Amino acid sequence: LFMNVDVVIDNPFVKGFDIHYTKDRQTTINEMIKDVKNGVEVVCFTNNRQIIAKLKCGKRSINANLITGDSLSSSLFKEQNISHNPNSKLTISSSKGFEGFDIWYQKANVYYFEDRANAYESHFPSNLVQASGRTRNGANKITYCRLGVNTAKKEIFKNGIDSMVDEFVKDKKRSPESKLSKNIRRIPQNPQSNLVKNIYRNYIYNEQCKEGIIEVYKRQDSVDLYKESRVCDKEFPLKEYEEFYKARGIRFIDDDSTHNRNTMKTVKDLQKIKDNLFSNIEIIEQRDLYGDKHRINWKPNLYKIFKDGKGYESLKNKVKFDFEIFIAEKNYNGKYEIKPHQKRISELLSYDIDEGGNVIANGTFDALREELVELKRDKLKDKGFAFEESEIKLDEFKKYSVIYLSQILYMFSGHRAYVPNNITLNRNYNFATTIPLRMIEHVANYLGLTVTEIDIVTCNPRILYAKCGLNLPTNFYGKDKENKTKISKLLNDFMYNEVKNSSYKLQKSRAKKELSKFLHSKVVTYLMDNYFEVKRNYRGQFTSDCAFHEKNIIKELKATINHDLNEGCIERHDSIILINNEQDLDYLKTFHYSKYENIRGWFVEDTASAKDILQEIKESGFIEDWCIPDEDVA
């Protein structure tokens, strides 16, 4: 609707066609079922599997030419016996088939379903035209069944999406990383401000140069599609499309009807799902739906399930059902060999019913959850939190501990361990990064799995030194890492702050003095020249630049991993974790990052190098022994 037209083809041979418009879904479905039973050629366009379920040719199966995507197909095959027949008089197509294929029926009745209340069933007028044109010999009748929104959708861009996105992109108080995050501070640069959903995320994109510098831009096509979707939510017919339809010779005939939203239940009987999957073996194998890349249906918002349900039991039952469905999908043909750790997960999620019909949950699940709580308690003690603060943090963790354990079980549920990516610019903020490794490892060990972490040693400082052509000194943080907190705070907050009651010159002098206590003079100069003045308008630029190299180092590391010798390779910020690893990792001692070929110790700190260099100096005879500093100092 908002695209510029450069060329118009005025085709006098276009005859156009009529489209019958109705709001009565149930009556439309009944008419379609009647056509199918009478052997009439029928084309059904819908993304709703429940509508498709009504089109059984008899009681046993749906016999149809099926043109649907993998997601919809997977749902269908669990609920229905589908006989895929390219020569059938019934063609069922999801939005995948709006264009790119031909239907050569002679007198087809075409049914097109849309529901503006559901995002996955909402389309654009151009989609209706595309779908209606699939019957190349024309159609006997085209019926457009359209349900409008139940209530007016809330306008989230109250001042206009164009101007608000422009303003957001130009906002210098927000870093590019924060602009592309799922959640942002309501008030930028205020750590006390509430986190809110980032409504701009789908309407911007970023470009990154070879050095990692990021710029954010407005995604105009997405903005235009949003504006068009708002127009499509209006009451039909849509005045804005009158010219569009007229140019194509399309006429709407209103089949005077009432708004009737048909609802149907989803199949939740596990045995029935298994039976349906087994009956659909042929078409499942044709599409390779449940092959090596098939994963469990991850539930990202377990918090909502936990709160909306009845706490622990509702969530555990949901995780149990998802796991059982996943195993049923993998075992659709009865040939899948369930692994020992999957059997343990099944046992963890099992429960019994007592004589009164009450659920008796598996006590092992709660026992394992309590062990995670104890691990959290031990960590809080190690960090030296005050008792009251420690108890508050522990209570918060305990409240949601069932969610953490459930997510870890999702992670290990497959044949290979897997976590969905959640990438923002240079960092993967997936679930594995939100929970301590020791907890992941604890659950893995219970399941009979081993966890091997390979992480970049002293990541940001090592990258910083590499930028200056230097190897990071051994024992950089001091004895027992006594200086780690001080150095980390300095690297996060040495930049000029105009809010402080001190001059630019004084702040720079102090920053240089403090940095020089811990860092090489060359490194201090590099930091002051490149980051002190916050040239690119946000204080996290140093961390962002390091994250760019961190991403590339991990990428090069993964390229050296033999994935046939482990049962899962999961990214976790500046590390990867390998499950049941059998690969000899001794080669990591000599790993080189392509950007800085001469830098050592990325994954295994090179403790021998300093001693070797000292020995070479001694043997050279240029310096007396008494001039050689202590090894720890060196």
Side-chain angles (χ1 to χ4, degrees), residues 316-332:
K316 282 192 290 185
N317 290 343
K318 179 59 182 168
V319 177
K320 178 179 185 292
F321 185 72
D322 284 347
F323 178 72
E324 288 175 339
I325 291 297
F326 169 72
I327 295 299
E329 290 169 339
K330 293 293 290 183
N331 195 36
Y332 70 93

Side-chain angles (χ1 to χ4, degrees), residues 46-222:
T46 181
N47 281 348
N48 189 319
R49 71 182 188 279
Q50 295 169 331
I51 292 176
I52 298 172
K54 295 287 186 180
L55 298 175
K56 287 185 178 180
C57 301
K59 294 182 178 180
R60 294 186 58 81
S61 68
I62 296 174
N63 184 297
N65 175 29
L66 202 65
I67 304 167
T68 54
D70 287 351
S71 178
L72 180 58
S73 296
S74 179
S75 299
L76 279 173
F77 300 155
K78 288 197 287 283
E79 298 189 2
Q80 304 294 328
N81 182 357
I82 308 288
S83 177
H84 175 60
N85 178 9
N87 298 317
S88 172
K89 288 187 176 183
L90 169 63
T91 292
I92 300 172
S93 173
S94 66
S95 53
K96 178 183 179 180
F98 283 169
E99 59 180 330
F101 82 104
D102 303 320
I103 301 173
W104 296 103
Y105 292 157
Q106 295 300 316
K107 295 181 179 180
N109 283 344
V110 177
Y111 295 89
Y112 182 102
F113 294 89
E114 180 176 15
D115 186 350
R116 298 302 304 178
N118 296 319
Y120 71 95
E121 287 189 79
S122 295
H123 312 302
F124 293 104
S126 55
N127 299 139
L128 174 61
V129 175
Q130 288 173 323
S132 300
R134 294 306 98 203
T135 50
R136 296 312 197 189
N137 294 322
N140 180 51
K141 182 181 178 182
I142 299 173
T143 301
Y144 173 37
C145 182
R146 181 186 192 272
L147 300 182
V149 293
N150 289 324
T151 57
K153 290 183 180 178
K154 184 180 179 181
E155 175 55 76
I156 57 176
F157 297 101
K158 294 181 180 179
N159 295 327
I161 185 172
D162 279 294
S163 60
M164 289 181 70
V165 172
D166 286 337
E167 185 178 343
F168 183 76
V169 167
K170 295 174 183 176
D171 188 354
K172 294 183 178 181
K173 293 181 180 179
R174 298 187 189 274
S175 68
E177 286 80 6
S178 69
K179 288 176 181 176
L180 292 151
S181 298
K182 287 185 177 179
N183 297 300
I184 56 176
R185 298 282 176 195
R186 188 182 295 277
I187 303 173
Q189 297 181 337
N190 182 353
Q192 305 302 320
S193 178
N194 293 335
L195 283 171
V196 295
K197 182 180 178 181
N198 184 358
I199 61 174
Y200 301 94
R201 194 166 185 252
N202 294 329
Y203 308 102
I204 58 177
Y205 70 98
N206 72 90
E207 289 185 355
Q208 190 171 34
C209 71
K210 291 181 179 180
E211 294 303 316
I213 298 173
I214 303 154
E215 296 292 344
V216 174
Y217 302 95
K218 177 181 178 182
R219 191 184 293 279
Q220 189 61 52
D221 54 350
S222 297

Side-chain angles (χ1 to χ4, degrees), residues 275-291:
D275 293 341
N276 287 328
L277 287 169
F278 191 77
S279 69
N280 289 310
I281 287 177
E282 185 177 347
I283 190 170
I284 289 173
E285 290 181 345
Q286 285 176 358
R287 300 194 176 198
D288 191 26
L289 279 183
Y290 305 128

Side-chain angles (χ1 to χ4, degrees), residues 398-415:
K398 189 183 298 184
K399 182 179 179 182
Y400 297 113
S401 56
V402 67
I403 295 175
Y404 301 134
L405 177 52
S406 298
Q407 290 281 40
I408 296 173
L409 293 180
Y410 273 104
M411 181 189 301
F412 293 125
S413 61
H415 215 70

Side-chain angles (χ1 to χ4, degrees), residues 134-396:
R134 294 306 98 203
T135 50
R136 296 312 197 189
N137 294 322
N140 180 51
K141 182 181 178 182
I142 299 173
T143 301
Y144 173 37
C145 182
R146 181 186 192 272
L147 300 182
V149 293
N150 289 324
T151 57
K153 290 183 180 178
K154 184 180 179 181
E155 175 55 76
I156 57 176
F157 297 101
K158 294 181 180 179
N159 295 327
I161 185 172
D162 279 294
S163 60
M164 289 181 70
V165 172
D166 286 337
E167 185 178 343
F168 183 76
V169 167
K170 295 174 183 176
D171 188 354
K172 294 183 178 181
K173 293 181 180 179
R174 298 187 189 274
S175 68
E177 286 80 6
S178 69
K179 288 176 181 176
L180 292 151
S181 298
K182 287 185 177 179
N183 297 300
I184 56 176
R185 298 282 176 195
R186 188 182 295 277
I187 303 173
Q189 297 181 337
N190 182 353
Q192 305 302 320
S193 178
N194 293 335
L195 283 171
V196 295
K197 182 180 178 181
N198 184 358
I199 61 174
Y200 301 94
R201 194 166 185 252
N202 294 329
Y203 308 102
I204 58 177
Y205 70 98
N206 72 90
E207 289 185 355
Q208 190 171 34
C209 71
K210 291 181 179 180
E211 294 303 316
I213 298 173
I214 303 154
E215 296 292 344
V216 174
Y217 302 95
K218 177 181 178 182
R219 191 184 293 279
Q220 189 61 52
D221 54 350
S222 297
V223 170
D224 289 342
L225 285 174
Y226 172 82
K227 291 189 292 186
E228 186 165 2
S229 70
R230 294 294 295 174
V231 172
C232 292
D233 284 338
K234 295 180 180 180
E235 187 67 26
F236 194 84
L238 308 170
K239 294 182 179 179
E240 289 84 352
Y241 288 92
E242 286 180 353
E243 184 179 344
F244 174 83
Y245 288 125
K246 184 178 179 181
R248 289 155 181 79
I250 296 172
R251 300 165 295 276
F252 285 98
I253 299 172
D254 191 349
D255 288 356
D256 188 26
S257 61
T258 58
H259 196 284
N260 185 334
R261 180 170 266 102
N262 175 273
T263 57
M264 288 158 274
K265 293 182 179 179
T266 302
V267 175
K268 291 189 177 180
D269 184 281
L270 183 62
Q271 188 55 51
K272 189 172 182 180
I273 288 172
K274 289 180 179 179
D275 293 341
N276 287 328
L277 287 169
F278 191 77
S279 69
N280 289 310
I281 287 177
E282 185 177 347
I283 190 170
I284 289 173
E285 290 181 345
Q286 285 176 358
R287 300 194 176 198
D288 191 26
L289 279 183
Y290 305 128
D292 292 340
K293 294 183 179 180
H294 182 58
R295 313 293 186 191
I296 192 170
N297 182 24
W298 270 75
K299 299 295 179 186
N301 197 351
L302 289 182
Y303 293 92
K304 188 176 189 303
I305 298 171
F306 177 74
K307 291 176 180 178
D308 291 350
K310 297 178 181 178
Y312 284 8
E313 295 309 318
S314 66
L315 185 62
K316 282 192 290 185
N317 290 343
K318 179 59 182 168
V319 177
K320 178 179 185 292
F321 185 72
D322 284 347
F323 178 72
E324 288 175 339
I325 291 297
F326 169 72
I327 295 299
E329 290 169 339
K330 293 293 290 183
N331 195 36
Y332 70 93
N333 58 5
K335 297 179 181 180
Y336 181 71
E337 185 177 344
I338 188 168
K339 302 191 79 172
H341 74 271
Q342 292 174 319
K343 290 180 181 177
R344 288 203 171 189
I345 292 175
S346 182
E347 291 167 3
L348 275 174
L349 299 173
S350 65
Y351 56 80
D352 295 318
I353 306 293
D354 66 14
E355 293 179 357
N358 300 311
V359 173
I360 305 174
N362 187 327
T364 313
F365 183 97
D366 282 332
L368 189 56
R369 182 186 59 78
E370 286 292 340
E371 289 173 14
L372 297 188
V373 173
E374 288 305 308
L375 286 173
K376 181 68 173 180
R377 189 193 303 276
D378 293 342
K379 189 63 178 179
L380 290 172
K381 287 180 181 178
D382 292 342
K383 288 189 173 182
F385 283 100
F387 177 77
E388 288 186 7
E389 186 180 3
S390 177
E391 287 301 305
I392 291 172
K393 289 181 178 292
L394 189 63
D395 287 343
E396 183 69 14

